[in-house]
Amino acid sequence: HRTAAGLDHPLPPPPDSRLNEMGERWRHGLIDNFEYLMYLNDAAGRSLSDLAQYPVMPWVVADYTSSTLDLEDAASFRDLSKPVGALTPSRLALFRERCASMEEDSQFLYGTHYSAPAFVAYFLLRLAPELTLHLHNGKFDEPDRAFSSVGEAWSSALTASSDVKELIPQFYHPAAAPFLLNQRDLQLGRRQNGRSIADVALPPWASSPRDFVAKCRAALECEHVSQT
């Protein structure tokens, strides 16, 4: 729960009646998936003004290589019944093996979180570079670790042993699409493969950042996701 400035105790959760009301409004199609998820984030004490408790949105699309995004194909979507860390069976097996080898009182499964200030700053690098500069002592992170490709970010979340992060609301709000553009001409460095870090590389099915975000939002709002 959020802690209000000057108070020693966290704010109380919203009443059950409000949670039930919003759930019913969502079930009856009076609010869309995005609005409902943002409400749940708010009810959990998450805020756009708090990097440590930033609103969390799920990866929904799982296809970042096709020329078109087929929202009628279940294979285009991530399995929403599992957290990111459990989507790849082989990696989950390694996580479990590592956990089993630890002392019982210090066991953990993933070793990282699905949201943290550094992850929010990672996605908002171009829109709010000061966040990364603050977290990295006045410097940008190494270019090979910067957010430079949506497809690469998804691949990392599926395969890396230290990456199980979900997304931020900007991925589903078309007006926020410029977060994918280096409009401030920031000098973010050059990767080991020689490519400069500029705008975020989009999947082939997206013609522009706004198109990408609009299609992500369409995926979030489609029947397949609503029924999951």
Side-chain angles (χ1 to χ4, degrees):
H1 306 310
R2 284 175 293 186
T3 301
L7 298 179
D8 295 328
H9 304 289
L11 296 175
D16 288 344
S17 59
R18 179 61 173 163
L19 286 169
N20 292 336
E21 175 193 347
M22 293 301 287
E24 287 301 310
R25 287 174 62 83
W26 172 71
R27 277 189 284 273
H28 286 85
L30 299 177
I31 58 175
D32 62 21
N33 293 344
F34 180 85
E35 186 176 352
Y36 184 51
L37 288 173
M38 287 300 290
Y39 170 74
L40 294 179
N41 271 285
D42 182 67
R46 292 186 170 274
S47 166
L48 291 168
S49 61
D50 185 352
L51 290 186
Q53 294 291 329
Y54 206 76
V56 180
M57 286 286 172
W59 289 95
V60 170
V61 175
D63 179 4
Y64 297 96
T65 60
S66 299
S67 58
T68 58
L69 180 61
D70 185 359
L71 297 184
E72 298 297 322
D73 185 356
S76 296
F77 298 90
R78 162 264 186 97
D79 182 353
L80 287 164
S81 70
K82 301 175 182 177
V84 165
L87 291 178
T88 306
S90 58
R91 184 176 63 161
L92 180 59
L94 291 175
F95 287 153
R96 286 174 169 165
E97 181 180 345
R98 179 181 64 183
C99 180
S101 69
M102 298 175 182
E103 295 293 334
E104 186 173 349
D105 60 352
S106 60
Q107 287 181 328
F108 60 82
L109 186 58
Y110 298 133
T112 186
H113 205 253
Y114 53 80
S115 180
F119 302 160
V120 177
Y122 167 84
F123 286 127
L124 295 180
L125 173 62
R126 293 156 181 80
L127 183 66
E130 62 275 10
L131 300 178
T132 293
L133 292 173
H134 176 73
L135 292 172
H136 292 277
N137 298 315
K139 299 179 181 179
F140 290 122
D141 199 0
E142 292 296 323
D144 283 284
R145 290 200 294 263
F147 178 38
S148 62
S149 163
V150 176
E152 288 183 5
W154 168 244
S155 178
S156 176
L158 281 184
T159 62
S161 61
S162 59
D163 185 359
V164 295
K165 59 178 170 288
E166 297 281 1
L167 299 181
I168 57 176
Q170 284 80 354
F171 277 81
Y172 298 102
H173 199 300
F179 86 98
L180 298 163
L181 297 172
N182 188 18
Q183 294 180 318
R184 299 167 70 169
D185 196 27
L186 301 169
Q187 301 304 302
L188 301 174
R190 190 179 296 272
R191 304 181 73 183
Q192 291 185 23
N193 62 11
R195 184 165 67 85
S196 296
I197 304 295
D199 297 341
V200 175
L202 303 175
W205 47 258
S207 61
S208 67
R210 191 173 184 86
D211 181 59
F212 168 75
V213 175
K215 286 176 178 173
C216 285
R217 179 62 173 270
L220 178 67
E221 302 300 343
C222 75
E223 190 65 19
H224 174 83
V225 172
S226 297
Q227 294 298 324
T228 300

PDB file of all heavy atoms in Angstrom, residues 167-194:
ATOM      1  N   LEU A 167       5.750  -5.120 -18.408  1.00  0.00           N
ATOM      2  CA  LEU A 167       5.794  -3.842 -19.112  1.00  0.00           C
ATOM      3  C   LEU A 167       5.239  -2.698 -18.269  1.00  0.00           C
ATOM      4  O   LEU A 167       4.853  -2.878 -17.117  1.00  0.00           O
ATOM      5  CB  LEU A 167       5.014  -3.961 -20.425  1.00  0.00           C
ATOM      6  CG  LEU A 167       5.536  -4.999 -21.416  1.00  0.00           C
ATOM      7  CD1 LEU A 167       4.689  -4.988 -22.688  1.00  0.00           C
ATOM      8  CD2 LEU A 167       7.003  -4.737 -21.755  1.00  0.00           C
ATOM      9  N   ILE A 168       5.213  -1.522 -18.871  1.00  0.00           N
ATOM     10  CA  ILE A 168       4.675  -0.321 -18.243  1.00  0.00           C
ATOM     11  C   ILE A 168       3.479   0.157 -19.068  1.00  0.00           C
ATOM     12  O   ILE A 168       3.311  -0.236 -20.228  1.00  0.00           O
ATOM     13  CB  ILE A 168       5.744   0.776 -18.117  1.00  0.00           C
ATOM     14  CG1 ILE A 168       6.329   1.127 -19.494  1.00  0.00           C
ATOM     15  CG2 ILE A 168       6.850   0.330 -17.148  1.00  0.00           C
ATOM     16  CD1 ILE A 168       7.338   2.274 -19.465  1.00  0.00           C
ATOM     17  N   PRO A 169       2.615   1.013 -18.522  1.00  0.00           N
ATOM     18  CA  PRO A 169       1.396   1.421 -19.235  1.00  0.00           C
ATOM     19  C   PRO A 169       1.639   2.067 -20.592  1.00  0.00           C
ATOM     20  O   PRO A 169       0.780   1.985 -21.482  1.00  0.00           O
ATOM     21  CB  PRO A 169       0.750   2.413 -18.259  1.00  0.00           C
ATOM     22  CG  PRO A 169       1.231   1.986 -16.916  1.00  0.00           C
ATOM     23  CD  PRO A 169       2.639   1.519 -17.134  1.00  0.00           C
ATOM     24  N   GLN A 170       2.784   2.702 -20.782  1.00  0.00           N
ATOM     25  CA  GLN A 170       3.053   3.389 -22.042  1.00  0.00           C
ATOM     26  C   GLN A 170       2.969   2.467 -23.256  1.00  0.00           C
ATOM     27  O   GLN A 170       2.704   2.932 -24.365  1.00  0.00           O
ATOM     28  CB  GLN A 170       4.427   4.060 -21.984  1.00  0.00           C
ATOM     29  CG  GLN A 170       4.485   5.337 -21.168  1.00  0.00           C
ATOM     30  CD  GLN A 170       4.586   5.102 -19.669  1.00  0.00           C
ATOM     31  OE1 GLN A 170       4.499   3.971 -19.182  1.00  0.00           O
ATOM     32  NE2 GLN A 170       4.799   6.167 -18.918  1.00  0.00           N
ATOM     33  N   PHE A 171       3.182   1.181 -23.066  1.00  0.00           N
ATOM     34  CA  PHE A 171       3.092   0.239 -24.175  1.00  0.00           C
ATOM     35  C   PHE A 171       1.660   0.079 -24.702  1.00  0.00           C
ATOM     36  O   PHE A 171       1.458  -0.476 -25.783  1.00  0.00           O
ATOM     37  CB  PHE A 171       3.611  -1.137 -23.744  1.00  0.00           C
ATOM     38  CG  PHE A 171       5.103  -1.285 -23.819  1.00  0.00           C
ATOM     39  CD1 PHE A 171       5.913  -0.805 -22.806  1.00  0.00           C
ATOM     40  CD2 PHE A 171       5.699  -1.900 -24.915  1.00  0.00           C
ATOM     41  CE1 PHE A 171       7.301  -0.945 -22.873  1.00  0.00           C
ATOM     42  CE2 PHE A 171       7.075  -2.053 -24.998  1.00  0.00           C
ATOM     43  CZ  PHE A 171       7.885  -1.563 -23.971  1.00  0.00           C
ATOM     44  N   TYR A 172       0.694   0.569 -23.951  1.00  0.00           N
ATOM     45  CA  TYR A 172      -0.705   0.368 -24.330  1.00  0.00           C
ATOM     46  C   TYR A 172      -1.486   1.672 -24.439  1.00  0.00           C
ATOM     47  O   TYR A 172      -2.712   1.655 -24.528  1.00  0.00           O
ATOM     48  CB  TYR A 172      -1.378  -0.563 -23.317  1.00  0.00           C
ATOM     49  CG  TYR A 172      -0.727  -1.925 -23.287  1.00  0.00           C
ATOM     50  CD1 TYR A 172       0.152  -2.276 -22.263  1.00  0.00           C
ATOM     51  CD2 TYR A 172      -0.951  -2.846 -24.299  1.00  0.00           C
ATOM     52  CE1 TYR A 172       0.769  -3.514 -22.245  1.00  0.00           C
ATOM     53  CE2 TYR A 172      -0.337  -4.087 -24.297  1.00  0.00           C
ATOM     54  CZ  TYR A 172       0.529  -4.417 -23.267  1.00  0.00           C
ATOM     55  OH  TYR A 172       1.149  -5.639 -23.262  1.00  0.00           O
ATOM     56  N   HIS A 173      -0.788   2.784 -24.460  1.00  0.00           N
ATOM     57  CA  HIS A 173      -1.463   4.082 -24.541  1.00  0.00           C
ATOM     58  C   HIS A 173      -0.889   4.838 -25.736  1.00  0.00           C
ATOM     59  O   HIS A 173       0.206   5.395 -25.663  1.00  0.00           O
ATOM     60  CB  HIS A 173      -1.231   4.881 -23.253  1.00  0.00           C
ATOM     61  CG  HIS A 173      -2.214   5.985 -23.052  1.00  0.00           C
ATOM     62  ND1 HIS A 173      -2.357   7.016 -23.955  1.00  0.00           N
ATOM     63  CD2 HIS A 173      -3.119   6.214 -22.068  1.00  0.00           C
ATOM     64  CE1 HIS A 173      -3.293   7.842 -23.532  1.00  0.00           C
ATOM     65  NE2 HIS A 173      -3.776   7.370 -22.390  1.00  0.00           N
ATOM     66  N   PRO A 174      -1.605   4.852 -26.885  1.00  0.00           N
ATOM     67  CA  PRO A 174      -1.066   5.446 -28.115  1.00  0.00           C
ATOM     68  C   PRO A 174      -0.507   6.850 -27.953  1.00  0.00           C
ATOM     69  O   PRO A 174       0.484   7.209 -28.606  1.00  0.00           O
ATOM     70  CB  PRO A 174      -2.272   5.419 -29.066  1.00  0.00           C
ATOM     71  CG  PRO A 174      -3.048   4.225 -28.616  1.00  0.00           C
ATOM     72  CD  PRO A 174      -2.930   4.215 -27.114  1.00  0.00           C
ATOM     73  N   ALA A 175      -1.090   7.660 -27.093  1.00  0.00           N
ATOM     74  CA  ALA A 175      -0.587   9.023 -26.905  1.00  0.00           C
ATOM     75  C   ALA A 175       0.806   9.032 -26.303  1.00  0.00           C
ATOM     76  O   ALA A 175       1.534  10.034 -26.411  1.00  0.00           O
ATOM     77  CB  ALA A 175      -1.551   9.818 -26.019  1.00  0.00           C
ATOM     78  N   ALA A 176       1.191   7.921 -25.664  1.00  0.00           N
ATOM     79  CA  ALA A 176       2.510   7.840 -25.033  1.00  0.00           C
ATOM     80  C   ALA A 176       3.557   7.229 -25.936  1.00  0.00           C
ATOM     81  O   ALA A 176       4.700   7.028 -25.525  1.00  0.00           O
ATOM     82  CB  ALA A 176       2.412   7.022 -23.739  1.00  0.00           C
ATOM     83  N   ALA A 177       3.205   6.949 -27.200  1.00  0.00           N
ATOM     84  CA  ALA A 177       4.112   6.263 -28.126  1.00  0.00           C
ATOM     85  C   ALA A 177       5.475   6.929 -28.298  1.00  0.00           C
ATOM     86  O   ALA A 177       6.466   6.230 -28.554  1.00  0.00           O
ATOM     87  CB  ALA A 177       3.434   6.104 -29.491  1.00  0.00           C
ATOM     88  N   PRO A 178       5.616   8.255 -28.156  1.00  0.00           N
ATOM     89  CA  PRO A 178       6.948   8.865 -28.323  1.00  0.00           C
ATOM     90  C   PRO A 178       8.010   8.364 -27.346  1.00  0.00           C
ATOM     91  O   PRO A 178       9.195   8.660 -27.535  1.00  0.00           O
ATOM     92  CB  PRO A 178       6.658  10.361 -28.109  1.00  0.00           C
ATOM     93  CG  PRO A 178       5.253  10.526 -28.581  1.00  0.00           C
ATOM     94  CD  PRO A 178       4.557   9.281 -28.106  1.00  0.00           C
ATOM     95  N   PHE A 179       7.617   7.589 -26.320  1.00  0.00           N
ATOM     96  CA  PHE A 179       8.646   7.057 -25.423  1.00  0.00           C
ATOM     97  C   PHE A 179       9.584   6.114 -26.163  1.00  0.00           C
ATOM     98  O   PHE A 179      10.669   5.789 -25.675  1.00  0.00           O
ATOM     99  CB  PHE A 179       8.003   6.357 -24.212  1.00  0.00           C
ATOM    100  CG  PHE A 179       7.632   4.912 -24.400  1.00  0.00           C
ATOM    101  CD1 PHE A 179       8.469   3.903 -23.954  1.00  0.00           C
ATOM    102  CD2 PHE A 179       6.445   4.554 -25.030  1.00  0.00           C
ATOM    103  CE1 PHE A 179       8.128   2.558 -24.105  1.00  0.00           C
ATOM    104  CE2 PHE A 179       6.087   3.219 -25.188  1.00  0.00           C
ATOM    105  CZ  PHE A 179       6.934   2.222 -24.726  1.00  0.00           C
ATOM    106  N   LEU A 180       9.196   5.697 -27.364  1.00  0.00           N
ATOM    107  CA  LEU A 180      10.022   4.808 -28.180  1.00  0.00           C
ATOM    108  C   LEU A 180      10.955   5.569 -29.120  1.00  0.00           C
ATOM    109  O   LEU A 180      11.770   4.952 -29.813  1.00  0.00           O
ATOM    110  CB  LEU A 180       9.117   3.887 -29.003  1.00  0.00           C
ATOM    111  CG  LEU A 180       8.216   2.945 -28.184  1.00  0.00           C
ATOM    112  CD1 LEU A 180       7.093   2.392 -29.046  1.00  0.00           C
ATOM    113  CD2 LEU A 180       9.035   1.824 -27.569  1.00  0.00           C
ATOM    114  N   LEU A 181      10.847   6.888 -29.150  1.00  0.00           N
ATOM    115  CA  LEU A 181      11.635   7.719 -30.054  1.00  0.00           C
ATOM    116  C   LEU A 181      12.697   8.512 -29.307  1.00  0.00           C
ATOM    117  O   LEU A 181      12.442   9.027 -28.214  1.00  0.00           O
ATOM    118  CB  LEU A 181      10.725   8.688 -30.812  1.00  0.00           C
ATOM    119  CG  LEU A 181       9.677   8.078 -31.741  1.00  0.00           C
ATOM    120  CD1 LEU A 181       8.747   9.173 -32.252  1.00  0.00           C
ATOM    121  CD2 LEU A 181      10.359   7.365 -32.898  1.00  0.00           C
ATOM    122  N   ASN A 182      13.843   8.654 -29.924  1.00  0.00           N
ATOM    123  CA  ASN A 182      14.923   9.455 -29.345  1.00  0.00           C
ATOM    124  C   ASN A 182      14.776  10.900 -29.826  1.00  0.00           C
ATOM    125  O   ASN A 182      15.632  11.438 -30.533  1.00  0.00           O
ATOM    126  CB  ASN A 182      16.279   8.883 -29.749  1.00  0.00           C
ATOM    127  CG  ASN A 182      17.433   9.560 -29.026  1.00  0.00           C
ATOM    128  OD1 ASN A 182      17.248  10.218 -27.999  1.00  0.00           O
ATOM    129  ND2 ASN A 182      18.630   9.424 -29.571  1.00  0.00           N
ATOM    130  N   GLN A 183      13.688  11.531 -29.436  1.00  0.00           N
ATOM    131  CA  GLN A 183      13.379  12.872 -29.915  1.00  0.00           C
ATOM    132  C   GLN A 183      14.323  13.937 -29.364  1.00  0.00           C
ATOM    133  O   GLN A 183      14.412  15.021 -29.923  1.00  0.00           O
ATOM    134  CB  GLN A 183      11.931  13.225 -29.564  1.00  0.00           C
ATOM    135  CG  GLN A 183      10.901  12.371 -30.283  1.00  0.00           C
ATOM    136  CD  GLN A 183       9.488  12.746 -29.927  1.00  0.00           C
ATOM    137  OE1 GLN A 183       9.158  12.999 -28.762  1.00  0.00           O
ATOM    138  NE2 GLN A 183       8.614  12.784 -30.926  1.00  0.00           N
ATOM    139  N   ARG A 184      15.026  13.617 -28.311  1.00  0.00           N
ATOM    140  CA  ARG A 184      15.964  14.580 -27.719  1.00  0.00           C
ATOM    141  C   ARG A 184      17.387  14.379 -28.236  1.00  0.00           C
ATOM    142  O   ARG A 184      18.312  15.039 -27.774  1.00  0.00           O
ATOM    143  CB  ARG A 184      15.913  14.455 -26.187  1.00  0.00           C
ATOM    144  CG  ARG A 184      14.534  14.770 -25.638  1.00  0.00           C
ATOM    145  CD  ARG A 184      14.352  14.353 -24.189  1.00  0.00           C
ATOM    146  NE  ARG A 184      15.121  15.164 -23.276  1.00  0.00           N
ATOM    147  CZ  ARG A 184      14.969  15.134 -21.949  1.00  0.00           C
ATOM    148  NH1 ARG A 184      14.062  14.322 -21.417  1.00  0.00           N
ATOM    149  NH2 ARG A 184      15.708  15.884 -21.166  1.00  0.00           N
ATOM    150  N   ASP A 185      17.527  13.483 -29.200  1.00  0.00           N
ATOM    151  CA  ASP A 185      18.835  13.208 -29.798  1.00  0.00           C
ATOM    152  C   ASP A 185      19.884  12.904 -28.731  1.00  0.00           C
ATOM    153  O   ASP A 185      21.006  13.404 -28.761  1.00  0.00           O
ATOM    154  CB  ASP A 185      19.288  14.391 -30.667  1.00  0.00           C
ATOM    155  CG  ASP A 185      20.431  13.998 -31.604  1.00  0.00           C
ATOM    156  OD1 ASP A 185      20.523  12.810 -31.955  1.00  0.00           O
ATOM    157  OD2 ASP A 185      21.232  14.880 -31.977  1.00  0.00           O
ATOM    158  N   LEU A 186      19.516  12.052 -27.791  1.00  0.00           N
ATOM    159  CA  LEU A 186      20.432  11.656 -26.727  1.00  0.00           C
ATOM    160  C   LEU A 186      21.560  10.811 -27.292  1.00  0.00           C
ATOM    161  O   LEU A 186      21.348   9.963 -28.159  1.00  0.00           O
ATOM    162  CB  LEU A 186      19.677  10.856 -25.665  1.00  0.00           C
ATOM    163  CG  LEU A 186      18.498  11.562 -24.990  1.00  0.00           C
ATOM    164  CD1 LEU A 186      17.691  10.568 -24.175  1.00  0.00           C
ATOM    165  CD2 LEU A 186      18.997  12.707 -24.115  1.00  0.00           C
ATOM    166  N   GLN A 187      22.757  11.028 -26.784  1.00  0.00           N
ATOM    167  CA  GLN A 187      23.918  10.243 -27.205  1.00  0.00           C
ATOM    168  C   GLN A 187      24.011   9.020 -26.298  1.00  0.00           C
ATOM    169  O   GLN A 187      24.620   9.060 -25.232  1.00  0.00           O
ATOM    170  CB  GLN A 187      25.182  11.104 -27.135  1.00  0.00           C
ATOM    171  CG  GLN A 187      25.111  12.356 -28.006  1.00  0.00           C
ATOM    172  CD  GLN A 187      24.828  12.026 -29.460  1.00  0.00           C
ATOM    173  OE1 GLN A 187      25.577  11.274 -30.100  1.00  0.00           O
ATOM    174  NE2 GLN A 187      23.756  12.580 -29.999  1.00  0.00           N
ATOM    175  N   LEU A 188      23.375   7.957 -26.734  1.00  0.00           N
ATOM    176  CA  LEU A 188      23.227   6.765 -25.904  1.00  0.00           C
ATOM    177  C   LEU A 188      24.293   5.708 -26.165  1.00  0.00           C
ATOM    178  O   LEU A 188      24.280   4.653 -25.555  1.00  0.00           O
ATOM    179  CB  LEU A 188      21.834   6.164 -26.116  1.00  0.00           C
ATOM    180  CG  LEU A 188      20.667   7.112 -25.783  1.00  0.00           C
ATOM    181  CD1 LEU A 188      19.338   6.474 -26.167  1.00  0.00           C
ATOM    182  CD2 LEU A 188      20.681   7.477 -24.306  1.00  0.00           C
ATOM    183  N   GLY A 189      25.200   5.990 -27.081  1.00  0.00           N
ATOM    184  CA  GLY A 189      26.310   5.075 -27.320  1.00  0.00           C
ATOM    185  C   GLY A 189      26.072   4.134 -28.480  1.00  0.00           C
ATOM    186  O   GLY A 189      25.062   4.189 -29.179  1.00  0.00           O
ATOM    187  N   ARG A 190      27.023   3.251 -28.667  1.00  0.00           N
ATOM    188  CA  ARG A 190      27.016   2.306 -29.777  1.00  0.00           C
ATOM    189  C   ARG A 190      27.219   0.896 -29.224  1.00  0.00           C
ATOM    190  O   ARG A 190      28.079   0.670 -28.375  1.00  0.00           O
ATOM    191  CB  ARG A 190      28.138   2.658 -30.756  1.00  0.00           C
ATOM    192  CG  ARG A 190      28.086   1.900 -32.078  1.00  0.00           C
ATOM    193  CD  ARG A 190      29.234   2.357 -32.973  1.00  0.00           C
ATOM    194  NE  ARG A 190      29.107   3.758 -33.329  1.00  0.00           N
ATOM    195  CZ  ARG A 190      28.422   4.204 -34.377  1.00  0.00           C
ATOM    196  NH1 ARG A 190      27.801   3.340 -35.165  1.00  0.00           N
ATOM    197  NH2 ARG A 190      28.360   5.492 -34.637  1.00  0.00           N
ATOM    198  N   ARG A 191      26.419  -0.033 -29.707  1.00  0.00           N
ATOM    199  CA  ARG A 191      26.508  -1.404 -29.239  1.00  0.00           C
ATOM    200  C   ARG A 191      27.736  -2.104 -29.831  1.00  0.00           C
ATOM    201  O   ARG A 191      28.369  -1.602 -30.764  1.00  0.00           O
ATOM    202  CB  ARG A 191      25.241  -2.161 -29.619  1.00  0.00           C
ATOM    203  CG  ARG A 191      23.972  -1.501 -29.101  1.00  0.00           C
ATOM    204  CD  ARG A 191      22.742  -2.278 -29.470  1.00  0.00           C
ATOM    205  NE  ARG A 191      22.631  -3.505 -28.687  1.00  0.00           N
ATOM    206  CZ  ARG A 191      21.674  -4.400 -28.849  1.00  0.00           C
ATOM    207  NH1 ARG A 191      20.737  -4.213 -29.782  1.00  0.00           N
ATOM    208  NH2 ARG A 191      21.626  -5.482 -28.112  1.00  0.00           N
ATOM    209  N   GLN A 192      28.056  -3.266 -29.279  1.00  0.00           N
ATOM    210  CA  GLN A 192      29.230  -3.999 -29.747  1.00  0.00           C
ATOM    211  C   GLN A 192      29.104  -4.411 -31.205  1.00  0.00           C
ATOM    212  O   GLN A 192      30.112  -4.605 -31.887  1.00  0.00           O
ATOM    213  CB  GLN A 192      29.465  -5.229 -28.876  1.00  0.00           C
ATOM    214  CG  GLN A 192      29.925  -4.885 -27.455  1.00  0.00           C
ATOM    215  CD  GLN A 192      30.274  -6.114 -26.646  1.00  0.00           C
ATOM    216  OE1 GLN A 192      30.583  -7.175 -27.185  1.00  0.00           O
ATOM    217  NE2 GLN A 192      30.232  -5.986 -25.329  1.00  0.00           N
ATOM    218  N   ASN A 193      27.865  -4.542 -31.702  1.00  0.00           N
ATOM    219  CA  ASN A 193      27.678  -4.888 -33.109  1.00  0.00           C
ATOM    220  C   ASN A 193      27.815  -3.678 -34.029  1.00  0.00           C
ATOM    221  O   ASN A 193      27.623  -3.788 -35.237  1.00  0.00           O
ATOM    222  CB  ASN A 193      26.323  -5.569 -33.328  1.00  0.00           C
ATOM    223  CG  ASN A 193      25.139  -4.660 -32.969  1.00  0.00           C
ATOM    224  OD1 ASN A 193      25.284  -3.460 -32.740  1.00  0.00           O
ATOM    225  ND2 ASN A 193      23.950  -5.249 -32.934  1.00  0.00           N
ATOM    226  N   GLY A 194      28.119  -2.528 -33.444  1.00  0.00           N
ATOM    227  CA  GLY A 194      28.338  -1.314 -34.224  1.00  0.00           C
ATOM    228  C   GLY A 194      27.122  -0.436 -34.391  1.00  0.00           C
ATOM    229  O   GLY A 194      27.226   0.683 -34.908  1.00  0.00           O
TER     230      GLY A 194
END
